[in-house]
Structure formats: structure tokens, C-alpha cells
Amino acid sequence: MKLVQLLLPLNDNSGKKFPKKFFKDIKEELTKKFSGVTAFSQSPAEGVWEDEGYVQKDQIIIYEVMVAEFDQNWWRDFKGKLEAKLKQEKIVLRWFDVSTL
């Protein structure tokens, strides 16, 4: 099994919140494709990184999906679509091997 995580910013680059519909649509698409999704949305996490000497911060929501196989092409296309929709240079998408009882 693989655990796939998407780290999505809650705000655009100017600090304006994205419409809730964006996140609802993403959740619905993942649920339809993979029969479920976990959204960590109650307490947004904070991402911090340094870029050209400046500290950048984002409030993020994390979506997780468990899949038997990781289809890299599908996820690459999905990630690209989200980056365009949310006007982001990069969205973090990561996956891990997981075991369940």
C-alpha cells in the first residue's frame, strides 16, 4: 500500500483565501477516483521555507489517499492541474510505503 499526501496552500500568493469550492472539488475528485480521502482541515498546518533569503510561510491543508499502486503519470497530471488552478509554482505531493493491520 502507498499513502499519498497532497500539501495544499489555503491562500494565494497575495494572501487571499482560495474559495472553499476549490477544496470541495478536490476532495470529491479524489473520493470518486480512490473511494475515499482523508482531509486534515480543522487546524491548518504551517509550511515555512526560505526562498532567496526570505522566509516564506503558508497555511496548508493536507489530503491523504491510500492506494494499492502509485500511478505516477496520473498523480503528475493531477498535481499539474492543481498547480495551475491554485497558481502555484509547486505543490508538494509525496508518497510512502505503508502497512496496515
Side-chain angles (χ1 to χ4, degrees):
M1 291 292 284
K2 305 287 187 201
L3 178 67
V4 182
Q5 293 182 327
L6 284 165
L7 284 63
L8 303 174
L10 293 176
N11 306 311
D12 67 16
N13 293 329
S14 68
K16 182 179 174 189
K17 287 196 178 288
F18 289 115
K20 289 184 180 190
K21 181 169 177 14
F22 279 8
F23 301 103
K24 181 180 178 221
D25 291 347
I26 294 166
K27 188 166 36 172
E28 286 176 1
E29 184 171 354
L30 291 171
T31 300
K32 184 176 179 182
K33 172 85 174 160
F34 300 105
S35 302
V37 63
T38 300
F40 295 91
S41 58
Q42 294 301 319
S43 297
E46 182 178 66
V48 179
W49 70 98
E50 190 172 321
D51 184 23
E52 297 181 14
Y54 295 97
V55 174
Q56 305 287 326
K57 294 182 183 181
D58 266 339
Q59 283 194 322
I60 61 171
I61 184 172
I62 300 170
Y63 285 176
E64 289 185 344
V65 176
M66 289 184 64
V67 297
E69 299 282 329
F70 183 78
D71 181 346
Q72 192 163 349
N73 290 327
W74 187 90
W75 284 104
R76 183 182 299 116
D77 291 346
F78 187 68
K79 179 180 178 279
K81 183 173 76 170
L82 292 177
E83 288 168 340
K85 184 175 189 175
L86 300 174
K87 298 181 179 137
Q88 299 294 303
E89 276 185 43
K90 281 193 175 185
I91 287 176
V92 174
L93 184 149
R94 56 192 181 192
W95 67 96
F96 310 90
D97 289 320
V98 295
S99 299
T100 60
L101 292 177

